[in-house]
Amino acid sequence: MAQLGFDFGVEPTPLLKVTPARLGLYDDCPRRYRMTYLDRPTPVRTGPWAHNTLGAVVHNALRELFTLPPAARTPERAGALVGKHWRSAGFADAVQIARYSEAARRWVADYASDHDVAGEPVGLERWVSATVGSDPARPALIVEGRIDRIDSREGELVIVDYKTGRARPGEADARRSRALALYAVAAARTFRTPCSRVELHHLPTATVASAEHTEADLRDQVSEAEETAATARELTDRLTEGGDPDALFPARPARRCAWCELRPSCPEGQEAVPAARPWDLLVPTA
């Protein structure tokens, strides 16, 4: 006898797996999104950029700092970790390398001096993955990503993101950051602990820009992420079915084309603005 069952003719909607970086890339430029995640073979890229190298060095130094026993997290040790993790890719010459390695050492040492670094973070470079949705009863996304640091303060989690770029962030930057908002939602789900505060720690200016999200704020950010993810998935499906890649994923020429890593493979970006030099996005040093 055949097994009895029910078939209502409704296929469950598959969850879309996304990262904040992937969503942000699509919003900035669908062409860059396609070339980064969909095109095979991988398009030709630029070489390394000094500001990315600098950011990675500072992040690695701070990550290791918080793995040390609290008593060892001194400014001197923090500065020394910059030397341990130093890389020179993308810099103009030895003079520039020396100037920025010293600047990074000073930033990280000052950070250890000016901040309470004795506490134990909940996560360092922590990968989180959580099912989320603007409608909690029908989640649409699996949000994943790596968070620089997750603190626990007064029974709630705080998302900390380190910055080393040219622009000093403000409260508005922290509040409108989709990445930080999605990380807050994902961290709350992962650790089953409330998380509403997000912070941008800009080491070159010793600035901390923070925002306290409401449930409505986070719901709006998740809703926008759902829309972006659904659009990108629909266009990807159409591309797979033989659609025109340039029509489905058009370029959005802008000032950022000057330093886009896919500029060598994008005629529209090359025509939009002159190419930046690999060190042009470094934060000025005193």
Side-chain angles (χ1 to χ4, degrees):
M1 178 182 293
Q3 185 175 6
L4 295 178
F6 297 94
D7 181 6
F8 297 102
V10 178
E11 290 290 333
T13 302
L15 295 173
L16 300 177
K17 185 179 291 188
V18 300
T19 65
R22 188 164 182 150
L23 295 174
L25 199 59
Y26 178 83
D27 283 338
D28 284 347
C29 180
R31 177 71 51 77
R32 185 180 175 196
Y33 174 93
R34 191 202 78 208
M35 291 195 293
T36 299
Y37 295 111
L38 306 178
D39 284 359
R40 296 294 181 272
T42 303
V44 176
R45 297 170 179 262
T46 66
W49 292 84
H51 66 283
N52 290 335
T53 300
L54 182 65
V57 168
V58 168
H59 278 70
N60 288 335
L62 288 171
R63 174 188 52 76
E64 184 167 347
L65 178 69
F66 280 96
T67 67
L68 299 175
R73 299 173 194 171
T74 63
E76 294 75 19
R77 187 68 178 273
L81 289 172
V82 170
K84 176 181 177 180
H85 291 283
W86 182 257
R87 299 292 183 272
S88 302
F91 288 91
D93 51 33
V95 173
Q96 191 179 70
I97 289 170
R99 186 165 76 249
Y100 277 92
S101 62
E102 172 57 24
R105 186 205 61 76
R106 185 176 66 252
W107 299 340
V108 176
D110 288 348
Y111 189 90
S113 176
D114 298 341
H115 292 258
D116 180 5
V117 296
E120 293 302 326
V122 174
L124 292 171
E125 299 289 339
R126 173 62 188 260
W127 183 265
V128 295
S129 179
T131 302
V132 305
S134 54
D135 179 358
R138 302 184 64 184
L141 302 177
I142 300 175
V143 171
E144 297 183 334
R146 194 178 303 278
I147 304 173
D148 289 348
R149 197 175 89 217
I150 307 172
D151 288 348
S152 178
R153 304 179 198 164
E154 300 179 355
E156 296 195 3
L157 302 179
V158 178
I159 304 300
V160 174
D161 191 50
Y162 304 126
K163 294 296 182 186
T164 58
R166 294 176 67 91
R168 180 201 298 258
E171 178 185 345
D173 299 298
R175 184 170 301 282
R176 64 172 169 251
S177 170
R178 177 192 288 168
L180 293 184
L182 293 180
Y183 286 150
V185 174
R189 298 287 176 85
T190 299
F191 295 99
R192 301 181 183 276
T193 304
C195 183
S196 59
R197 184 177 178 87
V198 298
E199 296 180 349
L200 295 171
H201 291 204
H202 189 242
L203 275 82
T205 59
T207 298
V208 174
S210 62
E212 289 280 353
H213 281 299
T214 65
E215 289 187 11
D217 291 337
L218 297 176
R219 189 165 52 249
D220 288 345
Q221 291 277 18
V222 170
S223 179
E224 291 179 7
E226 288 173 343
E227 292 177 7
T228 299
T231 299
R233 169 53 64 187
E234 178 187 354
L235 295 174
T236 299
D237 290 343
R238 290 167 60 184
L239 179 66
T240 303
E241 293 167 358
D244 182 347
D246 290 338
L248 293 172
F249 294 90
R252 289 184 184 156
R255 183 168 172 264
R256 60 178 169 266
C257 294
W259 56 85
C260 177
E261 74 279 3
L262 289 161
R263 178 184 175 89
S265 301
C266 182
E268 292 90 338
Q270 295 173 28
E271 295 172 3
V273 290
R277 297 171 300 181
W279 53 87
D280 279 346
L281 267 67
L282 287 167
V283 62
T285 58

